[in-house]
Amino acid sequence: NAGVTQTPKFQVLKTGQSMTLQCAQDMNHNSMYWYRQDPGMGLRLIYYSASEGTTDKGEVPNGYNVSRLNKREFSLRLESAAPSQTSVYFCASSEDSTSNQPQHFGDGTRLSIL
Amino acid sequence: AQKVTQAQTEISVVEKEDVTLDCVYETRDTTYYLFWYKQPPSGELVFLIRRNSFDEQNEISGRYSWNFQKSTSSFNFTITASQVVDSAVYFCALSEYNFNKFYFGSGTKLNVKP
């Protein structure tokens, strides 16, 4: 029962480097999400994908790109990392974008940009 | 605009005390969903409850209870007879129906001391 798997769990980058965060779910969920969590700010939605082949911007999409490679995988890319993107990143999935089933979260990726 | 406010940044109680975590939300939608999540020190996000906007019945699950009041746009969470294991950050969240976006509050850190 893996659920939502994120890789890597930790990463340190230098400013300007690029990085792709990987996320995979094995629950056959249609919807997947990427959030960032900063101290005192809760989780903020970066991008989401309601189904394979579709992606939409969330609250804080600037500086990020996403790919819904297939139903299982949803990756988040930082093309040119900036210190302001230092955060904990969570991937989540849910059964259907309209049913609002509870989201299942991965364990997070702790990303530091120097 | 959708917004979730958790005014209590941090609460400390002694074990066996009751504690209530406040959540106030803003939305123009008539159909929406409210959630509570727990984030223990280990960092994962644990789903606790979902409530839709048409169901104002209070819910009790063991030591946990939730009070949903549309008149005051509040969805408060009470832990009865708190335990050290309840120490965590608790997030309230709002989801728009059909928009696939979740809005999280900034979280309340609960410290339960033995």
Side-chain angles (χ1 to χ4, degrees), chain A residues 19-110:
Chain A
M19 170 81 188
T20 298
L21 308 186
Q22 307 287 353
C23 176
Q25 52 92 7
D26 60 3
M27 295 172 282
N28 203 36
H29 285 170
N30 287 317
S31 301
M32 297 185 74
Y33 314 79
W34 275 106
Y35 292 89
R36 60 178 289 173
Q37 183 180 19
D38 301 302
M41 298 195 71
L43 278 77
R44 291 182 293 169
L45 183 65
I46 304 171
Y47 271 94
Y48 67 96
S49 170
S51 61
E52 184 180 350
T54 68
T55 61
D56 285 285
K57 294 178 180 179
E59 188 181 355
V60 288
N62 291 344
Y64 304 96
N65 286 303
V66 290
S67 295
R68 183 74 182 268
L69 304 170
N70 46 57
K71 194 171 186 179
R72 287 189 66 247
E73 298 171 293
F74 188 38
S75 62
L76 178 72
R77 183 160 178 86
L78 288 70
E79 289 291 350
S80 179
S84 61
Q85 294 177 304
T86 293
S87 189
V88 180
Y89 290 85
F90 284 96
C91 178
S93 70
S94 68
E95 184 177 5
D96 185 89
S97 63
T98 58
S99 69
N100 283 289
Q101 294 296 317
Q103 293 184 315
H104 301 258
F105 286 87
D107 289 339
T109 295
R110 282 146 185 81

Side-chain angles (χ1 to χ4, degrees), chain B residues 35 44 100 114:
Chain B
F35 304 82
E44 74 273 22
N100 207 37

Side-chain angles (χ1 to χ4, degrees), chain A residues 97-100, chain B residues 29 31-33 95-101:
Chain A
S97 63
T98 58
S99 69
N100 283 289
Chain B
D29 293 345
T31 303
Y32 52 89
Y33 291 83
S95 172
E96 299 173 325
Y97 185 66
N98 279 342
F99 286 90
N100 207 37
K101 291 182 179 179

Side-chain angles (χ1 to χ4, degrees), chain B residues 17-37:
Chain B
E17 284 186 12
D18 299 346
V19 58
T20 295
L21 310 182
D22 298 332
C23 173
V24 175
Y25 63 92
E26 296 175 30
T27 180
R28 291 194 196 95
D29 293 345
T30 55
T31 303
Y32 52 89
Y33 291 83
L34 297 164
F35 304 82
W36 276 95
Y37 286 86

Side-chain angles (χ1 to χ4, degrees), chain A residues 94 99-103 105, chain B residues 4 6 23 25 32-38 46-52 66 75 77 90-96 101-105:
Chain A
S94 68
S99 69
N100 283 289
Q101 294 296 317
Q103 293 184 315
F105 286 87
Chain B
V4 176
Q6 294 180 256
C23 173
Y25 63 92
Y32 52 89
Y33 291 83
L34 297 164
F35 304 82
W36 276 95
Y37 286 86
K38 174 182 180 180
V46 179
F47 165 76
L48 296 177
I49 190 172
R50 179 190 72 180
R51 176 65 79 223
N52 74 55
W66 291 269
F75 186 43
F77 173 31
Y90 291 86
F91 291 99
C92 181
L94 166 73
S95 172
E96 299 173 325
K101 291 182 179 179
F102 287 72
Y103 301 87
F104 282 78

